[in-house]
Amino acid sequence: MAVDRTRVAELVRELLVAIGEDPDRPGVKLTPQRVADAYAEFFDGIDQDPGAPLAHTISVTRGPAPDTLPSGAVMLRDIHFRSICEHHLLPFRGFAHVAYLPNEKVVGLGALPKVIDILAARPQVQERLTEQIADAIAEALDPRGVLVVMDASHECVTARGGRQPSASTLTVAARGELAEPTARAELVALIGAGGQ
């Protein structure tokens, strides 16, 4: 179901009234439609399949001679993402780092950020988002292992309540061989060596 922009705009108009604002004031008159347009973008991943970008795979064992067997990890660091916290409908944003140990197939590197974008474009919590990304990659590619590390700043922490402007949240999801702490230690070190 796509975002109902008309209904969102009506509700935002009501919200403006509820906080004591005049919804017809020139500065906020277009706010309901602007928020509706923004929400359509923020939540466009609700109806999308996160596995779709991973559907076109590339064989790593067959290709130009000599044939080879995969041995090391594929890692993409510092993938910018943003999502909306389902608890306060406030943004959280940061960087995702994804690594996997291929079996027979890999995907184009541009597919990994697309998976993150789809899953982040829905009401989320960072813990679930991290797990869903790992699951999507594990299911689509059948790798020997998957590691997803996300580091994000949440406006529910930085802009309200305790107001900790420098705080960030780190979450980790691991599958297969990379679920063992010793197996993922090298990859975690490589993520830290990359910087943002």
Side-chain angles (χ1 to χ4, degrees):
M1 176 182 105
V3 171
D4 183 342
R5 292 180 192 216
T6 301
R7 187 164 183 213
V8 171
E10 291 168 359
L11 292 170
V12 171
R13 182 176 171 81
E14 287 300 313
L15 177 63
L16 290 170
V17 171
I19 65 170
E21 180 60 82
D22 173 6
D24 294 317
R25 184 172 63 79
V28 295
K29 188 170 187 163
L30 297 178
T31 297
Q33 189 57 51
R34 288 181 182 127
V35 172
D37 293 343
Y39 273 30
E41 179 182 335
F42 292 162
F43 301 121
D44 71 352
I46 290 175
D47 291 330
Q48 293 188 50
D49 174 10
L54 303 172
H56 302 289
T57 61
I58 304 158
S59 171
V60 291
T61 59
R62 294 184 305 274
D67 288 346
T68 186
L69 293 174
S71 61
V74 175
M75 179 185 290
L76 190 59
R77 296 184 300 202
D78 299 335
I79 304 165
H80 288 269
F81 79 94
R82 63 114 177 99
S83 190
I84 302 293
C85 172
E86 67 184 32
H87 298 150
H88 299 98
L89 294 181
L90 289 172
F92 64 97
R93 64 181 54 85
F95 294 91
H97 316 281
V98 177
Y100 66 97
L101 297 170
N103 262 325
E104 156 65 19
K105 52 193 175 182
V106 296
V107 290
L109 295 176
L112 298 174
K114 290 176 185 174
V115 171
I116 294 166
D117 287 344
I118 289 170
L119 289 167
R122 46 183 78 175
Q124 275 290 10
V125 295
Q126 183 176 333
E127 297 88 342
R128 180 189 318 119
L129 176 59
T130 309
E131 298 291 336
Q132 288 175 338
I133 294 165
D135 288 341
I137 294 167
E139 184 177 316
L141 300 182
D142 189 31
R144 293 174 289 136
V146 177
L147 177 67
V148 178
V149 178
M150 301 189 86
D151 186 359
S153 175
H154 293 248
E155 286 196 16
C156 58
V157 174
T158 63
R160 64 170 299 278
R163 294 188 186 153
Q164 296 296 313
S166 299
S168 71
T169 300
L170 193 69
T171 52
V172 178
R175 303 289 183 269
E177 292 178 22
L178 295 177
E180 293 298 320
T182 53
R184 68 177 176 235
E186 178 185 11
L187 296 178
V188 170
L190 288 171
I191 290 168
Q196 296 162 8

